[in-house]
Amino acid sequence: MRLIEPRDIACFSIPEAARYLRVPAATLRSWALGRPLGKTDSARRSAPVIVLARQVPPALSFNNFIEAHVVASMTRDARVPFKNVRRALAFVRTK
């Protein structure tokens, strides 16, 4: 039997987590679900930078919440360009 890590259980909705993190819900949603590229009717989407614990309905785990906090801090406080954050997260996930 596989034990579930409590920190990986989906427990925050996107709007709830956004309030705690003090980021717009639309921003957190785009980090977690991606966003349309180009025209609004485009089927192409950017890749999410946070892999959600639950996709339907979208919900963040505690670990997702911490990831979002780090992304928010890097972009807001340290003023790291988001493209650099995305590139760094992709690199870390390959290791």
Side-chain angles (χ1 to χ4, degrees), residues 29-45:
R29 189 174 293 106
S30 73
W31 293 349
L33 302 174
R35 63 186 185 115
L37 296 175
K39 299 178 183 175
T40 57
D41 61 342
S42 174
R44 294 180 48 222
R45 298 185 72 79

Side-chain angles (χ1 to χ4, degrees), residues 10-79:
C11 57
F12 297 100
S13 68
I14 288 178
E16 179 184 23
R19 276 193 308 276
Y20 293 139
L21 294 167
R22 297 185 185 137
V23 298
T27 298
L28 184 55
R29 189 174 293 106
S30 73
W31 293 349
L33 302 174
R35 63 186 185 115
L37 296 175
K39 299 178 183 175
T40 57
D41 61 342
S42 174
R44 294 180 48 222
R45 298 185 72 79
S46 64
V49 294
I50 298 170
V51 179
L52 291 178
R54 185 177 67 212
Q55 295 292 325
V56 179
L60 286 79
S61 66
F62 180 75
N63 283 336
N64 293 149
F65 183 82
I66 297 303
E67 287 179 77
H69 172 70
V70 170
V71 171
S73 294
M74 290 174 71
T75 57
R76 178 181 51 216
D77 302 334
R79 298 185 182 181

